[in-house]
Amino acid sequence: MSKPKIAVIFYSTYGTNHAIAEAAAKAAEAAGAEVRLFRVAETAPAAAVNGQPAWKAQADKTAAIPVVTPDDMVWADGYFISAPTRYGVSASQLRAFIDTLGPVWQKGGLTNKAITATTSAGNPHGGQEATILSLYTTAMHWGAIIVAPGYTDDAISAAGGNPYGYSAKAGEFDDKGRAAVAHQARRLVEMAKKLVA
């Protein structure tokens, strides 16, 4: 059986979603997938990024990671997406990338791909569930197959109990979170394997 191809795609302003993506990539690879880690292009003005030392430091830290393209979406059999919550939806940088996918979507290039999503916000009720659900709404338009973690492992409840996808408080991605993300990534690989069998 060929390895499923998993694209781990993240946008991270200060580092939380980057850490989640790295943990997911490691777990997916250990589960038998061919994994590629991608970042979403920054769309904020350089002055805004450079004006905040923590934001600039994160941008510099991830500069060598390839920027995701529509071709990468076609390559993958499954997507693990991690991006921060902004007003109850994902960060505009991720939405801007998604808005470039129309030509691929129109050709059926996103159909029957497995997808799962994670997020972070500054407080526990900052819109994490709405963010993940909005990404899944997009996935439904693509004809993708949503792979939510549900309550399929004790790690989910231990990390806060979000059945839609792991969500972190910004800056507080801990060992319980890593265990939940690893389970979610393994589950994505398991479902992607079935889709490509």
Side-chain angles (χ1 to χ4, degrees):
M1 181 185 299
S2 62
K3 289 184 172 185
K5 300 185 291 286
I6 301 296
V8 178
I9 302 162
F10 74 93
Y11 175 75
S12 194
T13 310
Y14 302 117
T16 302
N17 290 278
H18 177 205
I20 291 169
E22 286 186 325
K26 182 178 178 181
E29 192 168 35
E34 179 184 349
V35 179
R36 294 182 185 175
L37 179 67
F38 299 104
R39 65 184 171 92
V40 173
E42 182 59 76
T43 59
V49 177
N50 295 334
Q52 294 188 43
W55 193 351
K56 184 178 186 308
Q58 176 63 24
D60 291 344
K61 182 178 180 179
T62 59
I65 297 172
V67 171
V68 67
T69 70
D71 287 343
D72 298 317
M73 300 294 282
V74 174
W75 167 84
D77 301 311
Y79 314 121
F80 189 108
I81 297 177
S82 189
T85 291
R86 296 286 185 269
Y87 305 108
V89 295
S90 61
S92 63
Q93 290 85 347
L94 176 60
R95 294 305 317 180
F97 169 66
I98 287 171
D99 285 346
T100 71
L101 296 176
V104 173
W105 164 75
Q106 288 172 339
K107 294 177 183 176
L110 306 173
T111 302
N112 296 333
K113 309 284 185 129
I115 184 170
T116 200
T118 62
T119 191
S120 67
N123 59 299
H125 300 290
Q128 295 100 317
E129 291 182 1
T131 296
I132 293 170
L133 290 170
S134 72
L135 287 169
Y136 291 162
T137 298
T138 297
M140 288 183 229
H141 284 253
W142 296 346
I145 310 301
I146 297 166
V147 184
Y151 294 108
T152 56
D153 191 273
D154 290 342
I156 305 303
S157 294
N162 189 337
Y164 309 107
Y166 173 72
S167 56
K169 184 175 180 187
E172 297 185 9
F173 182 49
D174 58 14
D175 287 343
K176 289 180 180 179
R178 286 183 183 85
V181 166
H183 172 70
Q184 191 169 342
R186 287 191 299 267
R187 185 167 160 77
L188 177 69
V189 171
E190 177 187 348
M191 295 300 122
K193 282 180 180 176
K194 292 179 180 181
L195 291 171
V196 300

